[in-house]
Amino acid sequence: MPDVITGFMSADILQSPLLWTLIALQIAMGGFDVIFHHELTERLAWKDNASGELRLHAWRNVFYGFLFTFFAWVQPHGAIAIAVLIILVVEIIITLWDFVEEDQTRKLPPTERVLHTLLAINYGAILALVMPLLVMWAGQPTGVDVVSYGFGSLILTLAGIGCIGFAIRDTFTSRRAARFQPSSPAALAGILHGKRSVLITGGTGLVGKSLADSLIASGHDVTVLTRDMAKVTGLNAPVRMITSLEQVESTTAIDAIVDLAGEPVAGGLWTRARKREILLSRLHMSRRVNALVARLEKKPEVVISASAVGAYGLTGDDILTEADAAPGYDHNAPSTRRARVFTHRVCLAREEEAAKVRAQGVRFVALRIGLVLDRDGGLLSRMVPAFDLGLGGPIGDGQQWMSWIALPDLVRLIAFAIQSDELDGAVNATAPTPVRNATFAKSLGTVLHRPAILPVPGWPLETVLGDFARELLLGGQRVVPLKVTSAGFSFQANTINSGLRLALRLPDTVASRREAVIRINADARARSKQQVSGAVAHKV
């Protein structure tokens, strides 16, 4: 009789379309959760406090990998079935533990919460169908039956291999997360003297938040203008928050205004409406800043306005300093159709509008910022997931120049611009060593210990994204920061490898220490040459 029941159960349940539909849904939803949430949007592999959650994911994936592969080809009986039941119970405990860990370390997006609920319900339905059969198998003599469910066995095997692969990845990333260098505000001691009162527009964005935190940590008085008060919880205290420049009294003493506000240029497709929004958001803010300065009884010492290296247009291999005029066209386009570059027009329009503050006797700096490297925002944060999975590579032919700067260096440079009276007008905010995109991709792969050999063809990007791809992805500028280096500013990250390690907050390595020694020796030789040249000139 037990054999008859077992055969009936196998025929009715293990061959049931309902069971296989639920299993397929579980695999699909679980895969989507891992790829979309864990890897792409939440980027758990790069969160400082995700080490514990990643370890739980690794163990859970080990159990899933075993269960999927085992049940694809085997029916357990007796003690083996009991062991499988124990594994299922342990997996459920780990899943519940993971729910608690997630709630304690991060705020889950609504889509992930909904998906976790659906996964739990679906998994419960699967267990309700197979658990009676497993209990029955547990009462039989110990052994296994080799089975095949055709295409179903193949799907289960592939799902099991995928789970084991992510278990290995989660193990390594959990160890890496435990070694991340702690995130701390950029040190401004020795750069910005005294106690300054600084007003920052766009102070809850990537650059603005880092600047505000560094100023606050250094004892300066900070006022932040933001449109979204929900983001202020991410700022360190004490900080003064305003939603309009009209809230600033005319008697308020402000030493410096740093205008970083504006719609993100890389925040979406460049439709005609979006281009207009990008331009007008910058012009309107510059006008409001100028109006604020006009009514302040005591004028600030300096107004710093965020521009970008796009102000130079797309100029091929030309080395660009602040002394170079900006032609504003695509250097690579045929002369018969050299359309004006959108980023050039936006940058110069904002610089011209913001520079009107000079009429009030205020020093003005147009900060032409390059690609800002930070793992929590900007282009790098979007590139890292693919490169971390070994799927990265150059964009297009990889020959376009990338002028970059690590976020801590940008914060220090802004403080340097506040302090240095000699800095005026256009100032390049880039590291001294721009690199081609192919070099950037290779360096990012090296820092992550991943191959970076899968190129992204340029023509699909240009076809789909148009000017956005031509200017931001396939074009570039070879910019050097002549003004700030001549004024004595020193970068923490001079090479792309050191910049990427600083941006990703990766632990120091033998290679980075060797690189630092080479840089120190090079600086010493340069100083020695300067001293010799100075001595010769003095004698002459």
Side-chain angles (χ1 to χ4, degrees):
M1 181 64 69
D3 292 339
V4 173
I5 295 174
T6 301
F8 175 78
M9 294 289 288
S10 299
D12 279 12
I13 293 180
L14 298 182
Q15 303 295 336
S16 167
L18 174 61
L19 175 62
W20 286 100
T21 298
L22 293 176
I23 291 173
L25 283 173
Q26 192 75 4
I27 293 172
M29 289 191 296
F32 179 82
D33 188 36
V34 169
I35 299 297
F36 183 76
H37 289 129
H38 297 175
E39 293 291 341
L40 297 181
T41 56
E42 290 296 289
R43 299 188 306 113
L44 291 183
W46 293 97
K47 287 189 178 295
D48 293 328
N49 58 355
S51 181
E53 184 179 350
L54 289 168
R55 282 197 297 271
L56 291 173
H57 290 178
W59 278 109
R60 190 173 62 190
N61 280 327
V62 166
F63 288 136
Y64 269 131
F66 167 77
L67 292 171
F68 281 143
T69 307
F70 184 81
F71 279 113
W73 307 104
V74 174
Q75 288 182 3
H77 303 286
I80 299 175
I82 293 173
V84 171
L85 285 169
I86 293 174
I87 290 174
L88 284 171
V89 171
V90 172
E91 190 282 323
I92 292 172
I93 293 173
I94 290 176
T95 297
L96 295 175
W97 187 358
D98 184 41
F99 287 164
V100 174
E101 182 75 16
E102 288 173 339
D103 282 334
Q104 290 180 343
T105 58
R106 64 187 177 98
K107 182 179 180 181
L108 271 67
T111 55
E112 191 172 3
R113 288 189 178 277
V114 170
L115 190 58
H116 285 183
T117 302
L118 294 176
L119 281 165
I121 293 172
N122 197 72
Y123 189 43
I126 293 173
L127 290 179
L129 290 175
V130 302
M131 193 64 76
L133 184 57
L134 276 173
V135 172
M136 184 178 300
W137 283 344
Q140 297 175 348
T142 298
V144 295
D145 292 335
V146 178
V147 296
S148 174
Y149 304 105
F151 186 67
S153 291
L154 177 62
I155 294 298
L156 285 175
T157 302
L158 293 176
I161 293 172
C163 287
I164 294 298
F166 274 102
I168 295 172
R169 170 168 168 75
D170 289 338
T171 299
F172 281 106
T173 54
S174 69
R175 293 175 180 175
R176 182 178 64 189
R179 297 194 305 270
F180 283 149
Q181 299 299 304
S183 176
S184 58
L188 303 182
I191 296 179
L192 189 57
H193 308 309
K195 183 175 182 179
R196 304 295 185 93
S197 175
V198 182
L199 168 63
I200 306 172
T201 72
T204 54
L206 175 66
V207 178
K209 180 183 181 304
S210 295
L211 176 61
D213 287 345
S214 296
L215 289 169
I216 293 167
S218 298
H220 300 285
D221 184 69
V222 178
T223 301
V224 168
L225 171 70
T226 182
R227 295 178 301 176
D228 188 357
M229 291 299 289
K231 294 182 179 179
V232 302
T233 54
L235 290 170
N236 294 330
V239 61
R240 186 181 302 104
M241 305 300 303
I242 59 174
T243 56
S244 170
L245 292 180
E246 282 67 35
Q247 295 174 249
V248 179
E249 299 290 338
S250 60
T251 55
T252 303
I254 298 176
D255 297 312
I257 299 176
V258 182
D259 182 10
L260 303 172
E263 283 297 314
V265 173
L269 292 177
W270 283 357
T271 61
R272 180 174 296 181
R274 177 149 186 83
K275 283 184 175 182
R276 178 178 172 82
E277 187 177 12
I278 289 170
L279 176 60
L280 292 182
S281 67
R282 285 157 172 77
L283 294 181
H284 289 167
M285 183 53 67
S286 294
R287 290 165 185 161
R288 293 186 187 112
V289 168
N290 291 348
L292 170 63
V293 173
R295 64 182 179 82
L296 288 176
E297 295 179 4
K298 180 180 180 297
K299 308 301 180 187
E301 299 170 10
V302 62
V303 170
I304 299 175
S305 180
S307 185
V309 294
Y312 294 105
L314 302 176
T315 52
D317 294 339
D318 295 345
I319 299 177
L320 303 167
T321 72
E322 293 89 348
D324 291 297
Y329 56 74
D330 185 347
H331 179 85
N332 297 315
S335 58
T336 54
R337 59 178 184 86
R338 282 183 174 173
R340 305 296 285 182
V341 176
F342 172 65
T343 49
H344 163 80
R345 291 190 286 113
V346 169
C347 290
L348 287 199
R350 181 177 201 171
E351 289 181 16
E352 290 171 4
E353 186 64 38
K356 293 177 182 178
V357 76
R358 281 186 172 136
Q360 303 182 56
V362 177
R363 180 167 62 92
F364 169 72
V365 174
L367 212 60
R368 294 181 173 175
I369 303 171
L371 170 64
V372 180
L373 300 185
D374 187 73
R375 77 179 191 194
D376 295 328
L379 181 62
L380 180 63
S381 68
R382 301 172 192 175
M383 297 175 68
V384 161
F387 276 78
D388 202 24
L389 291 171
L391 303 176
I395 300 175
D397 63 8
Q399 295 305 297
Q400 65 273 33
W401 286 95
M402 301 179 70
S403 296
W404 58 274
I405 184 170
L407 180 58
D409 273 339
L410 177 57
V411 169
R412 294 172 61 251
L413 194 151
I414 293 174
F416 186 80
I418 294 174
Q419 177 68 35
S420 302
D421 293 338
E422 62 192 281
L423 290 182
D424 189 83
V427 172
N428 292 337
T430 64
T433 53
V435 295
R436 294 190 187 275
N437 176 260
T439 302
F440 183 92
K442 182 180 179 180
S443 296
L444 183 53
T446 299
V447 167
L448 295 176
H449 304 290
R450 302 288 189 274
I453 57 176
L454 298 178
V456 179
W459 66 265
L461 294 174
E462 193 168 353
T463 301
V464 175
L465 302 178
D467 289 342
F468 180 97
R470 279 189 289 272
E471 296 187 28
L472 300 186
L473 302 178
L474 302 173
Q477 301 82 18
R478 190 180 182 183
V479 177
V480 292
L482 181 60
K483 279 189 177 181
V484 294
T485 52
S486 298
F489 181 79
S490 61
F491 290 83
Q492 288 182 331
N494 282 306
T495 67
I496 187 60
N497 279 21
S498 62
L500 288 169
R501 275 193 295 270
L502 180 61
L504 296 174
R505 297 197 286 280
L506 293 174
D508 193 19
T509 64
V510 173
S512 66
R513 289 193 294 271
R514 186 186 303 116
E515 188 176 89
V517 170
I518 293 172
R519 185 173 67 251
I520 291 170
N521 290 338
D523 291 343
R525 286 193 297 269
R527 285 194 299 271
S528 178
K529 289 180 180 179
Q530 288 176 354
Q531 290 170 359
V532 171
S533 299
V536 171
H538 178 72
K539 288 180 180 180
V540 172

